[in-house]
């Protein structure tokens, strides 16, 4: 018997500027929908922080949030409760400890500033770094995206490589949002021979998630990202979910050279869950390379 | 009447904060925005500008930062010596209360004279 894992505490790393205002508005709406608490996190970019500086910074952060919430929400619709967390240095220096100390369930961040072509390389790198640092799921918002009810969630996955704990967390998240969840696997032409394995894995997952509003799809497409991107566009996806152990896919998703993923820079928020995979990833990232280099136990014939 | 009495009677509003050992409350030269009343624990005050290697432990119920009320920056560094409970008061609020209440003025003058006495001892 499994218990519902709820998203109760959302950490929002933000700067006190226009991008921060948009992110805060989104965070307020999302927390309101989920019935969650917000933890607003600001890194002061100084080497250290006295208690007085910290108090000042918290006061500024609090006034900033109150101003945004009072402007964006009318009196009848109260934004989510929030607390402020301030640390010295950069966000990446202390986010790991903050996530642990405050028992954060989800990190909500913006994908950074845009240049005319999409995300800046620096912003993409920063986002991928945070995703790599924290153990909880990370939700990344395209810059300037406005909140809209998340009704249609797509989890791009491999049916044969699942971690039940992660799968149920994702299903619980969809349930908490009262959204429909679609599990989609994209496979290449060369994998046709394994279609039977994929289908039986899909049926097994269907059984596990029985009673929940979940749809399963198998799609043939040469490139995984292209397949996910096209599917997301065609089904008017509100949120794309990935479960991965490395940030190779993220780097590609956020790459400005890859036009097919532009929707993720401009329209579709993305959530990543940390999952240790049994199979190596398609990009053969450092994680997979290290795994492959480890000596395999020799098979013995009795 | 002590500053604590003024706070208890609601004539001065502040927030209670708890800090662990070795926390820097403020640094010498930092802009003054708050004064702190130590209600439990102890705080060491260090002046690094004079070149005098001196550390003083603030007496009970001392309002940290009061001696710099008319300055823009703190003239010493304050650090907790043990787990300490403080009441944080905004500088503007204290200035306003001073204008309104002669008893508070008298109480704060006493504190300032302690600081003046401390400086004299340091030079002896």
């Amino acid at each position: 018997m499994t218990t519902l894992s709820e998203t109760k505490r959302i950490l929002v790393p933000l700067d006190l500027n226009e991008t921060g205002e948009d992110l805060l508005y989104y965070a307020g709406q999302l927390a309101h929908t989920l019935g969650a608490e917000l933890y607003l996190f600001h890194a002061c970019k100084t080497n250290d922080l006295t208690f007085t500086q910290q108090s000042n910074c918290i006061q500024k952060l609090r006034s900033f949030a109150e101003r945004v919430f009072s402007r964006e929400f009318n009196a009848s619709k109260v934004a989510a409760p929030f607390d402020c967390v301030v640390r010295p240095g950069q966000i990446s220096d202390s986010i790991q400890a903050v996530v642990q100390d405050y028992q954060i369930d989800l990190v909500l961040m913006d994908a950074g500033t845009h240049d005319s072509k999409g995300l800046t390389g620096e912003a993409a790198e920063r986002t991928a770094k945070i995703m790599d640092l924290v153990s909880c799921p990370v939700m990344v918002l395209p810059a300037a995206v406005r909140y809209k009810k998340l009704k249609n969630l797509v989890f791009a996955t491999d049916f044969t490589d699942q971690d039940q704990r992660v799968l149920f967390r994702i299903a619980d998240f969809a349930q908490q949002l009262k959204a429909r969840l679609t599990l989609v696997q994209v496979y290449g032409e060369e994998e046709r021979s394994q279609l039977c394995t994929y289908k039986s894995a899909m049926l097994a997952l269907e059984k596990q998630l029985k009673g929940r509003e979940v749809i399963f799809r198998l799609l043939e497409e040469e490139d995984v990202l292209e397949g996910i991107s096209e599917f997301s566009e065609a089904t008017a996806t509100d949120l794309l979910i990935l479960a991965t152990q490395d940030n190779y896919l993220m780097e590609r998703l956020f790459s400005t050279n890859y036009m097919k993923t532009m929707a993720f820079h401009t329209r579709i928020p993305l959530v990543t869950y940390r999952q240790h995979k049994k199979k190596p990833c398609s990009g053969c990232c450092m994680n997979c390379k290290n795994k492959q280099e480890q000596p395999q136990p020799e098979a013995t014939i009795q | 009447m002590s500053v604590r009495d003024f706070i208890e009677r609601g004539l001065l509003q502040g927030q209670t904060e708890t800090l662990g050992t070795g926390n820097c409350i403020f640094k010498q030269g930092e802009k003054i925005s708050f004064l702190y009343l130590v209600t439990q624990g102890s705080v060491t005050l260090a002046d690094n500008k004079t070149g005098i290697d001196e550390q003083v432990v603030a007496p009970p119920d001392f309002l940290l930062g009061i001696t710099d009320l008319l300055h823009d920056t703190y003239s010493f560094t304050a650090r907790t010596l043990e787990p300490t409970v403080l009441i944080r008061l905004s500088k503007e609020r204290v200035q306003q209360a001073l204008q309104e209440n002669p008893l508070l003025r008298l109480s704060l003058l006493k504190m300032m004279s302690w600081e003046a006495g401390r400086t004299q001892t340091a030079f002896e």
Side-chain angles (χ1 to χ4, degrees), chain A residues 86-102:
Chain A
V86 170
R87 293 285 184 272
Q90 305 293 327
I91 287 171
S92 54
D93 298 335
S94 48
I95 194 159
Q96 230 170 350
V98 172
V99 164
Q100 211 168 3
D101 293 349
Y102 291 86

Side-chain angles (χ1 to χ4, degrees), chain A residues 173-236:
Chain A
F173 183 56
Q175 201 170 321
Q176 204 179 344
L177 281 167
K178 297 183 182 77
R180 189 182 61 203
L181 177 66
T182 306
L183 266 67
V184 59
Q185 174 167 0
V186 179
Y187 64 94
E189 197 184 326
E190 72 284 359
E191 292 172 84
R192 273 185 191 164
S193 56
Q194 293 173 54
L195 197 57
C196 187
T197 320
Y198 295 156
K199 280 187 177 166
S200 42
M202 188 174 91
L203 287 171
L205 287 179
E206 258 179 329
K207 267 189 192 165
Q208 283 184 47
L209 295 172
K210 205 176 168 188
R212 297 180 189 245
E213 200 188 340
V214 183
I215 297 163
F216 295 84
R217 290 276 182 277
L218 267 166
L219 295 175
E220 190 179 301
E221 180 68 58
E222 272 318 295
D223 186 278
V224 176
L225 271 188
E226 213 165 300
I228 296 168
S229 194
E230 277 174 12
F231 182 77
S232 302
E233 287 289 348
T235 56

Side-chain angles (χ1 to χ4, degrees), chain A residues 62-288:
Chain A
R62 185 164 285 281
S63 326
F64 178 79
E66 278 165 359
R67 184 169 54 81
V68 172
F69 285 154
S70 65
R71 193 186 62 206
E72 300 284 0
F73 296 88
N74 27 11
S76 59
K77 196 181 169 191
V78 184
F82 70 92
D83 209 345
C84 299
V85 183
V86 170
R87 293 285 184 272
Q90 305 293 327
I91 287 171
S92 54
D93 298 335
S94 48
I95 194 159
Q96 230 170 350
V98 172
V99 164
Q100 211 168 3
D101 293 349
Y102 291 86
Q103 296 176 298
I104 297 299
D105 301 311
L106 176 75
V107 173
L108 174 68
M109 57 189 292
D110 64 90
T113 48
H114 281 64
D115 61 16
S116 53
K117 289 177 193 161
L119 278 173
T120 61
E122 196 190 335
E125 202 180 304
R126 184 179 69 103
T127 309
K129 193 177 173 185
I130 302 289
M131 285 175 168
D132 218 24
L133 279 171
V134 298
S135 51
C136 70
V138 179
M139 184 166 172
V140 184
L141 296 184
V145 76
R146 296 296 283 177
Y147 182 82
K148 95 174 183 186
K149 197 169 172 0
L150 303 171
K151 291 184 214 161
N152 189 12
L153 316 189
V154 169
F155 174 29
T157 187
D158 178 343
F159 297 148
T160 61
D161 195 353
Q162 292 294 322
D163 176 337
Q164 207 186 38
R165 217 167 32 92
V166 175
L167 179 69
F168 275 94
R169 275 189 82 178
I170 293 169
D172 290 344
F173 183 56
Q175 201 170 321
Q176 204 179 344
L177 281 167
K178 297 183 182 77
R180 189 182 61 203
L181 177 66
T182 306
L183 266 67
V184 59
Q185 174 167 0
V186 179
Y187 64 94
E189 197 184 326
E190 72 284 359
E191 292 172 84
R192 273 185 191 164
S193 56
Q194 293 173 54
L195 197 57
C196 187
T197 320
Y198 295 156
K199 280 187 177 166
S200 42
M202 188 174 91
L203 287 171
L205 287 179
E206 258 179 329
K207 267 189 192 165
Q208 283 184 47
L209 295 172
K210 205 176 168 188
R212 297 180 189 245
E213 200 188 340
V214 183
I215 297 163
F216 295 84
R217 290 276 182 277
L218 267 166
L219 295 175
E220 190 179 301
E221 180 68 58
E222 272 318 295
D223 186 278
V224 176
L225 271 188
E226 213 165 300
I228 296 168
S229 194
E230 277 174 12
F231 182 77
S232 302
E233 287 289 348
T235 56
T237 299
D238 297 314
L239 182 71
L240 176 69
I241 303 168
L242 295 171
T244 175
Q245 62 193 353
D246 54 71
N247 55 18
Y248 173 75
L249 210 57
M250 311 302 138
E251 281 171 17
R252 276 188 72 201
L253 267 172
F254 291 129
S255 166
T256 50
N257 302 326
Y258 200 70
M259 291 309 286
K260 283 279 178 188
T261 62
M262 279 306 275
F264 302 107
H265 307 162
T266 55
R267 197 180 64 77
I268 307 173
L270 174 80
V271 178
T272 59
Y273 284 73
R274 182 61 60 91
Q275 182 190 333
H276 292 286
K277 295 281 188 181
K278 288 173 237 154
K279 290 181 180 177
C281 77
S282 57
C284 211
C285 65
M286 283 311 285
N287 274 337
C288 299

Side-chain angles (χ1 to χ4, degrees), chain B:
Chain B
M1 235 166 110
S2 68
V3 178
R4 197 196 284 247
D5 294 327
F6 283 97
I7 294 169
E8 279 167 7
R9 288 179 187 202
L11 298 167
L12 263 176
Q13 277 91 37
Q15 284 81 44
T16 305
E17 308 273 1
T18 307
L19 294 183
T21 309
N23 269 298
C24 183
I25 304 168
F26 51 77
K27 271 186 182 167
Q28 192 169 29
E30 189 181 320
K31 189 174 175 283
I32 298 175
S33 22
F34 300 107
L35 307 180
Y36 299 91
L37 183 76
V38 184
T39 58
Q40 255 180 56
S42 54
V43 172
T44 174
L45 312 176
D47 184 345
N48 307 315
K49 256 185 193 161
T50 55
I52 301 164
D53 188 15
E54 176 209 22
Q55 288 209 339
V56 177
V57 178
D61 278 349
F62 183 70
L63 190 61
L64 294 174
I66 187 62
T67 49
D68 293 315
L69 190 65
L70 302 176
H71 302 151
D72 291 330
T73 57
Y74 294 107
S75 59
F76 55 88
T77 298
R79 209 175 278 274
T80 54
L81 282 173
E82 57 183 318
T84 300
V85 182
L86 307 153
I87 299 176
R88 180 162 51 93
L89 305 157
S90 100
K91 182 189 169 190
E92 285 75 28
R93 287 244 175 122
V94 174
Q95 280 175 331
Q96 199 185 338
L98 271 172
Q99 306 247 353
E100 292 162 1
N101 200 315
L103 278 173
L104 180 66
R105 276 206 290 274
L106 191 66
S107 170
L108 295 185
L109 266 172
K110 275 183 199 163
M111 266 188 210
M112 284 176 173
S113 65
W114 174 82
E115 170 67 12
R118 187 183 74 84
T119 312
Q120 205 175 12
T121 317
F123 281 100
E124 275 172 8

Side-chain angles (χ1 to χ4, degrees), chain A residues 296-300:
Chain A
Q296 300 294 317
E298 280 177 34
T300 51

Side-chain angles (χ1 to χ4, degrees), chain A residues 288-296:
Chain A
C288 299
K289 204 176 161 194
N290 291 341
K291 266 190 196 169
Q292 280 170 353
E293 278 170 5
Q294 279 170 9
Q296 300 294 317

